Amino acid sequence: MQFHARRETDETLIHARRETDKTLIHARRETDETCIHARRETDGLRGVSGRLIHHNGQVRRRPRFFFLLGATAMVAASCTSQETAAPPTPGATSSTTSTTEAPTTTSTTIAVAPEPIASDAPTATSTTEAPTTTLAPPSGQPTTTPTEFFAGGDPDGWLYLGRWSGSGWEQPTGDDGAPLAPATANGTAMFIHEADVAPIAGTAGAAAEACSSGSVGPTISPNARAPEDPGFGYRSIAFAADWPTTPRPSAIVDASIDRYLTNGQTAFSDTAVDATSGAIQQILVTDIDGDGDSESLVAFGGPTYAALILIDADSGSGLTVARSIAEVTTPTTIAGTTETTLEAPAPTIGPFEQFRTLAVADLNGDGFGEFVVHSWESPSSATVTVYTYDGRDVTAVLTNSC
């Protein structure tokens, strides 16, 4: 009996040892396969990381990608530590793998990965180049090439505004007041300017009627957009040029500035108009004369009056460029009635012009800006005027109406 019991015990121990050996062998094979897979994944991810970080010359941050790279490297590092360490006993295998090597390797891998991103990303370069103060001052030497100018805002021909002859400004009408025909040929390359929009390359097309008065002008593609409400008539100006047509930037500012309100009210101080209810309708800010100080072109108006004012942004002084006041007629008597029984009719308000700046551009290549103003007084009458400003005086040099 004792011999039989011992034999049973020996066979049980031998079977247990064989099962244990099989388990260890299987576990080691699984570990080896995991390590090989982790190394391949790490190498693959590191290779891809270079392509992702510098794709198209731009730095791309991929947080999820680096998390995967760090996690895979952690597994690979733990495999390395297992292979170089002394073979553990079966009871110590799990504690060595999970508590000693992995945390150190993980922190090192994740800390190193972001370094190329920080060193290869000069993102601020493009925002600091060519500030306004470094622009060359106006040359004061205009082009000697004749250049014609057109205002657009209608699907037909663009309104001819006149031209720079190479030595001076020439109006779009002859001495007898008849409209002149422009000489711009079909296919001529043009630059289209509009307030607060970068210049757009365009092309002149065939001539077409630009106004019912008989004025003609080219069609220009792309065509100008319709004027903003409540305007009528025109939105853009176009001309051919081989010089920088916007030597300094300009921008529309949406704001109500107390000092500008005061300038607007002052523009009517010599009239009977009470302009205290007036409001700012448009502000365009730019450096027209190239002296390094900005000017603001401010459209101001109320129910029966309007003005365009050029304000020096540094000193706050203003020049009235244009002004319009409606004629208001108030009846004093009512025929056949008494004033005690019927109310008097409302005053009659005549037409008056309103103003918007279409664009600021260098129209003749001298480095100074000219500003183009759109004005209208009814749904069927509009005017476009080109002004120069030399830092002291404003002068209207071209104008046409339709």
Side-chain angles (χ1 to χ4, degrees):
M1 291 292 291
Q2 292 179 355
F3 175 78
H4 180 72
R6 287 177 182 174
R7 186 176 181 179
E8 290 291 327
T9 302
D10 292 340
E11 290 177 355
T12 302
L13 290 174
I14 290 170
H15 179 73
R17 287 174 182 172
R18 287 176 179 172
E19 291 296 318
T20 301
D21 291 341
K22 290 179 180 180
T23 302
L24 291 173
I25 291 170
H26 180 72
R28 287 174 182 171
R29 287 177 178 173
E30 290 292 326
T31 302
D32 292 341
E33 291 176 356
T34 302
C35 292
I36 291 170
H37 180 72
R39 287 170 182 165
R40 289 175 178 172
E41 289 295 320
T42 302
D43 293 340
L45 290 172
R46 286 173 177 164
V48 174
S49 68
R51 296 194 297 272
L52 289 175
I53 292 172
H54 301 284
H55 179 67
N56 290 334
Q58 296 182 352
V59 175
R60 304 287 181 87
R61 297 185 183 271
R62 299 291 178 91
R64 181 180 178 186
F65 171 81
F66 286 113
F67 172 78
L68 293 174
L69 176 58
T72 308
M74 178 182 71
V75 176
S78 67
C79 295
T80 302
S81 65
Q82 290 173 23
E83 292 172 355
T84 56
T89 61
T93 301
S94 61
S95 62
T96 302
T97 303
S98 62
T99 61
T100 57
E101 303 293 340
T104 303
T105 305
T106 302
S107 62
T108 302
T109 303
I110 295 175
V112 171
E115 291 180 0
I117 298 176
S119 61
D120 295 339
T123 55
T125 302
S126 61
T127 60
T128 58
E129 293 179 353
T132 303
T133 55
T134 64
L135 295 175
S139 67
Q141 299 298 319
T143 182
T144 58
T145 303
T147 304
E148 296 180 326
F149 310 101
F150 304 92
D154 187 274
D156 297 324
W158 286 47
L159 182 68
Y160 181 42
L161 299 178
R163 70 173 193 153
W164 171 259
S165 67
S167 59
W169 303 98
E170 293 184 357
Q171 294 292 336
T173 55
D175 294 338
D176 59 355
L180 299 176
T184 297
N186 191 340
T188 300
M190 312 287 281
F191 286 104
I192 302 171
H193 287 260
E194 183 180 315
D196 207 24
V197 176
I200 301 170
T203 305
E209 184 181 42
C211 184
S212 58
S213 64
S215 173
V216 297
T219 56
I220 298 177
S221 179
N223 195 35
R225 296 184 294 168
E228 293 181 356
D229 291 336
F232 164 79
Y234 304 98
R235 181 72 173 261
S236 306
I237 181 173
F239 57 98
D242 59 1
W243 61 87
T245 57
T246 54
R248 289 165 296 280
S250 61
I252 296 291
V253 178
D254 185 9
S256 181
I257 302 172
D258 289 344
R259 186 173 64 181
Y260 291 0
L261 287 170
T262 300
N263 285 112
Q265 294 166 7
T266 302
F268 297 92
S269 61
D270 61 337
T271 72
V273 172
D274 179 6
T276 55
S277 63
I280 292 173
Q281 299 162 340
Q282 183 195 51
I283 301 175
L284 187 147
V285 180
T286 188
D287 181 5
I288 301 173
D289 57 350
D291 64 352
D293 294 331
S294 295
E295 289 81 41
S296 295
L297 292 164
V298 179
F300 171 87
T304 60
Y305 53 91
L308 181 71
I309 308 156
L310 189 152
I311 302 174
D312 185 282
D314 185 43
S315 66
S317 60
L319 291 172
T320 301
V321 176
R323 183 178 70 179
S324 180
I325 303 173
E327 182 179 353
V328 180
T329 303
T330 304
T332 56
T333 61
I334 304 174
T337 64
T338 62
E339 294 184 3
T340 59
T341 58
L342 293 175
E343 294 183 359
T348 301
I349 300 175
F352 68 101
E353 289 186 303
Q354 300 185 62
F355 307 95
R356 296 291 186 275
T357 301
L358 285 186
V360 177
D362 180 4
L363 303 189
N364 63 354
D366 62 358
F368 293 100
E370 284 75 40
F371 58 99
V372 185
V373 177
H374 169 224
S375 58
W376 69 97
E377 64 178 25
S378 71
S380 60
S381 176
T383 300
V384 178
T385 305
V386 175
Y387 294 91
T388 62
Y389 175 63
D390 61 4
R392 183 177 60 183
D393 298 319
V394 172
T395 305
V397 293
L398 298 174
T399 188
N400 202 358
S401 301
C402 181

